Amino acid sequence: MIDLFIIKVGGNVIDNPVLLQDFLQQFAAIPGKKILIHGGGKIATRIGDQLGIVSNYVDGRRITDAATIDLVTMVYGGLVNKQLVAQLQAAGCNAIGLTGADANIIPAVKRPVKEIDYGFVGDVRAAELHTAPLKALLEAGTTPVFAPLTHDGKGQLLNTNADTIASSLAIALSDSYQVRLIYCFEKKGVLRDPADDEAVINLINPAIYQQLLAEKVLTDGILPKLDNAFSAINNGVKEVLIGHAKDVLNNTTTQVAGTLIC
C-alpha cells in the first residue's frame, strides 16, 4: 500500500494559471502524506528580462551565473513557492514552503566545470539527504512544498533540477514509506509519437526502455525523466508514474492514467 506520494509539477503547468489551479485543487484533495516539488517555469526569465538579467541556455539548460542565482532564488524560492503555498492553504492543504537549504534537507555540490560551466548549478549529494525533518513535518500532517534550490553547506544556494530533487527525495524516504513518485506535466504520459497526445506508452520496464531507445522514438525532453524514474525504481522506490497534471488525483489511486515505470 502506498503511504507517501512525492509529486513533481513541471514548469509548463506553473506557467498555465488554469491548469495550475486545477492541479493544486486536485493535489490538495489527495489524502494522506504527500510532498510537492515544483519547477520554475518561464517566470524567472520574464522577471529577469524586466531587471535586465539575460537568460542563457545551453542544450535547454539554464546557465546560472551570479546574477541568475539571485534571480532564481527570489523567483523560485520566493514568488513561485509562496504563491503555491498560499493557494494550497486556500484549498485546505496545510503546506509549508521549503528549499533544500532549510533544515539542511538537501545538500548538494556545485557542478564541476567540464565542457560547459553551468555556474551555480547543484548536483544533489544523494547519500547525505537529511530526512528526519521531513518525516517530522509529514507525521505532523504538514505538506512540504520544495522549490528547485539546494545548498553547498558553505552558504551558497544552487539552482537544481526539480526532477532530480523529486527522485532523490523519493529514494531517501523509501526506507520509511511505500513511495509512489509522480511526474506531472502537460502531456498524458510518455508518448510513442510526440505529435500524438493519445499515443501513450502505458508501461515501461527496462527491456521496453532499451527497445524504445533503439527505435529512437523518445524525445530528448522525456529522457531525463525516465533516467530519474529508473534511478528511483532501482533504489527502493515502489512506483513511478509520468502523466498529465490534470490526472494527478486519479494517479494516486489504483486506476492510473499515464505511463507506469516498473
Side-chain angles (χ1 to χ4, degrees):
M1 177 180 176
I2 300 298
D3 53 11
L4 173 62
F5 296 99
I6 296 181
I7 298 172
K8 186 266 178 173
V9 60
N12 287 335
V13 179
I14 299 292
D15 291 332
N16 185 322
V18 174
L19 188 56
L20 177 61
Q21 182 63 27
D22 176 69
F23 168 83
L24 292 174
Q25 290 291 330
Q26 290 195 49
F27 179 85
I30 296 169
K33 298 177 180 65
K34 56 201 174 190
I35 297 172
L36 179 63
I37 300 96
H38 64 84
K42 299 174 183 174
I43 301 172
T45 299
R46 185 171 69 247
I47 293 177
D49 290 343
Q50 295 170 359
L51 297 174
I53 300 172
V54 178
S55 296
N56 295 310
Y57 294 87
V58 175
D59 297 330
R61 297 178 182 269
R62 185 187 291 272
I63 303 298
T64 307
D65 59 16
T68 302
I69 191 62
D70 288 348
L71 172 68
V72 298
T73 299
M74 290 187 290
V75 176
Y76 299 166
L79 180 63
V80 175
N81 187 265
K82 299 314 174 189
Q83 284 181 338
L84 295 180
V85 168
Q87 291 177 68
L88 286 172
Q89 292 289 357
C93 175
N94 189 19
I96 181 170
L98 298 168
T99 71
D102 294 295
N104 193 27
I105 294 173
I106 312 176
V109 61
K110 185 175 179 290
R111 182 168 298 167
V113 177
K114 295 181 181 177
E115 295 84 3
I116 299 167
D117 183 357
Y118 286 102
F120 294 101
V121 167
D123 293 325
V124 174
R125 299 204 302 260
E128 300 175 33
L129 266 66
H130 296 92
T131 59
L134 267 184
K135 293 175 188 176
L137 289 171
L138 291 168
E139 296 303 324
T142 308
T143 297
V145 178
F146 277 93
L149 297 164
T150 58
H151 76 126
D152 67 356
K154 303 173 184 177
Q156 179 63 58
L157 286 163
L158 297 166
N159 188 12
T160 304
N161 181 272
D163 286 353
T164 303
I165 288 176
S167 176
S168 299
L169 288 174
I171 292 168
L173 288 164
S174 65
D175 63 347
S176 301
Y177 303 97
Q178 294 284 317
V179 177
R180 179 181 291 175
L181 171 61
I182 304 175
Y183 289 111
C184 294
F185 66 149
E186 73 284 358
K187 300 291 186 181
K188 291 184 177 181
V190 180
L191 303 178
R192 182 171 288 277
D193 178 0
D196 182 0
D197 285 343
E198 302 303 320
V200 178
I201 304 168
N202 297 115
L203 177 70
I204 298 180
N205 59 29
I208 294 172
Y209 187 34
Q210 292 306 314
Q211 181 181 344
L212 292 169
L213 289 174
E215 294 172 358
K216 301 186 184 302
V217 300
L218 299 174
T219 61
D220 290 342
I222 202 68
L223 293 176
K225 280 185 173 56
L226 287 168
D227 287 342
N228 279 306
F230 278 109
S231 175
I233 289 292
N234 292 334
N235 287 279
V237 176
K238 184 74 172 177
E239 300 168 351
V240 181
L241 194 137
I242 300 173
H244 201 291
K246 67 180 178 61
D247 294 322
V248 64
L249 183 56
N250 182 76
N251 283 340
T252 61
T253 71
T254 57
Q255 304 298 316
V256 299
T259 303
L260 188 66
I261 312 295
C262 63

